[in-house]
């Protein structure tokens, strides 16, 4: 309640409000397009190349938002984490399709380590994000993405739908946490967006 009272006299410029909204929904968009990509790679409908291009556009959009708040240098580091996630998942799916269990294991491990590195980075640049919260959210997201790929590979449609629904809910949680952290950073740190 104290926080709400503190914000009652605060006016958020429209460009910052739009940025906060975009930073929230980008996680849901990513989840939807990752599902399409995984499905296409497992022989489902869709043009893998076109979907990958859409994922790359989302990464650029997310990085642009990040750079507006934290600067281009940190944005360049942030893009590496997003790109690594997509690339590791891509290699894992290819390995699943080939039945290459050693590569599946290796890239599963990489996807399990990536949240810790990402969380450390995010918590260091924004005092309104915690490393533990990011580890929990991103670890869940990565594991569910792996599980979704496995369900699609095994043609477990009901399981895949269940996982996708959970991923959508999780992406909303991540988007809320991410955007709230950006809002707090801009409001309470006397920061302005980078021009």
């Amino acid at each position: 309640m104290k926080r709400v009272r503190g914000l009652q006299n605060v006016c958020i410029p429209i460009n910052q409000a739009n940025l906060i909204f975009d930073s929230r929904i980008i996680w849901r968009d990513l989840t939807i397009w990752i599902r399409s990509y995984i499905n296409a790679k497992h022989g489902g409908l869709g043009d893998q190349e076109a979907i990958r291009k859409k994922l790359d556009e989302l990464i650029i959009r997310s990085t642009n938002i990040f750079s507006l708040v934290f600067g281009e240098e940190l944005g360049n580091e942030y893009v590496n984490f997003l790109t690594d996630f997509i690339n590791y998942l891509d290699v894992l799916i290819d390995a699943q399709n080939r039945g290459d269990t050693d590569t599946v294991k290796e890239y599963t491990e990489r996807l399990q380590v990536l949240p810790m590195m990402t969380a450390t980075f995010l918590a260091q640049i924004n005092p309104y994000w915690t490393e533990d919260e990011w580890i929990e959210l991103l670890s869940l997201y990565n594991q569910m993405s792996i599980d979704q790929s496995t369900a699609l590979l095994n043609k477990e449609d009901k399981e895949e739908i269940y996982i996708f629904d959970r991923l959508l809910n999780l992406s909303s949680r991540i988007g809320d946490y991410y955007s709230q952290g950006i809002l707090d950073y801009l409001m309470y740190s006397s920061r302005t967006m980078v021009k």
Side-chain angles (χ1 to χ4, degrees):
M1 193 63 155
K2 184 178 180 182
R3 185 175 181 183
V4 172
R5 285 190 190 122
L7 287 175
Q8 286 178 342
N9 295 324
V10 176
C11 182
I12 301 172
I14 192 72
N15 64 336
Q16 286 185 6
N18 288 335
L19 179 115
I20 299 303
F21 178 77
D22 287 346
S23 70
R24 183 183 183 282
I25 63 165
I26 204 154
W27 290 95
R28 195 165 182 94
D29 290 350
L30 187 64
T31 300
I32 291 166
W33 285 105
I34 286 172
R35 182 190 195 203
S36 295
Y37 190 62
I38 293 170
N39 193 31
K41 288 191 69 78
H42 282 306
L45 299 174
D47 180 337
Q48 286 181 42
E49 202 172 296
I51 296 168
R52 178 59 194 243
K53 184 178 178 191
K54 183 64 179 173
L55 282 170
D56 291 341
E57 289 170 6
L58 276 170
I59 288 172
I60 290 168
R61 195 170 107 213
S62 179
T63 303
N64 288 342
I65 291 168
F66 193 90
S67 295
L68 282 172
V69 178
F70 300 107
E72 191 173 329
E73 185 177 321
L74 292 173
N76 290 335
E77 289 183 56
Y78 177 70
V79 73
N80 292 331
F81 293 112
L82 293 175
T83 304
D84 285 349
F85 168 72
I86 299 296
N87 290 338
Y88 293 171
L89 190 60
D90 198 12
V91 172
L92 181 131
I93 296 165
D94 288 340
Q96 285 179 322
N97 286 332
R98 288 190 315 272
D100 181 350
T101 55
D102 290 337
T103 303
V104 168
K105 183 180 178 197
E106 177 186 347
Y107 279 85
T108 296
E109 289 171 5
R110 288 185 186 202
L111 284 163
Q112 290 168 341
V113 169
L114 188 60
M116 290 172 249
M117 295 185 308
T118 308
T120 300
F121 169 75
L122 292 172
Q124 285 176 350
I125 63 169
N126 186 344
Y128 302 99
W129 288 330
T130 67
E131 187 173 353
D132 289 342
E133 185 70 15
W134 274 121
I135 288 172
E136 178 187 343
L137 292 170
L138 296 175
S139 294
L140 279 170
Y141 192 89
N142 288 10
Q143 187 57 55
M144 283 189 215
S145 297
I146 294 166
D147 294 345
Q148 182 177 44
S149 180
T150 303
L152 280 165
L153 174 72
N154 296 328
K155 309 237 184 287
E156 297 169 346
D157 296 335
K158 288 181 182 177
E159 179 67 12
E160 189 279 329
I161 290 167
Y162 172 73
I163 293 167
F164 179 61
D165 185 54
R166 290 181 58 218
L167 268 167
L168 286 175
N169 290 331
L170 180 60
S171 69
S172 292
R173 276 184 57 205
I174 293 171
D176 288 344
Y177 187 67
Y178 183 76
S179 61
Q180 186 64 55
I182 289 175
L183 177 63
D184 291 346
Y185 183 81
L186 292 171
M187 298 299 296
Y188 299 117
S189 298
S190 301
R191 306 276 182 175
T192 57
M193 292 189 325
V194 179
K195 295 179 182 180

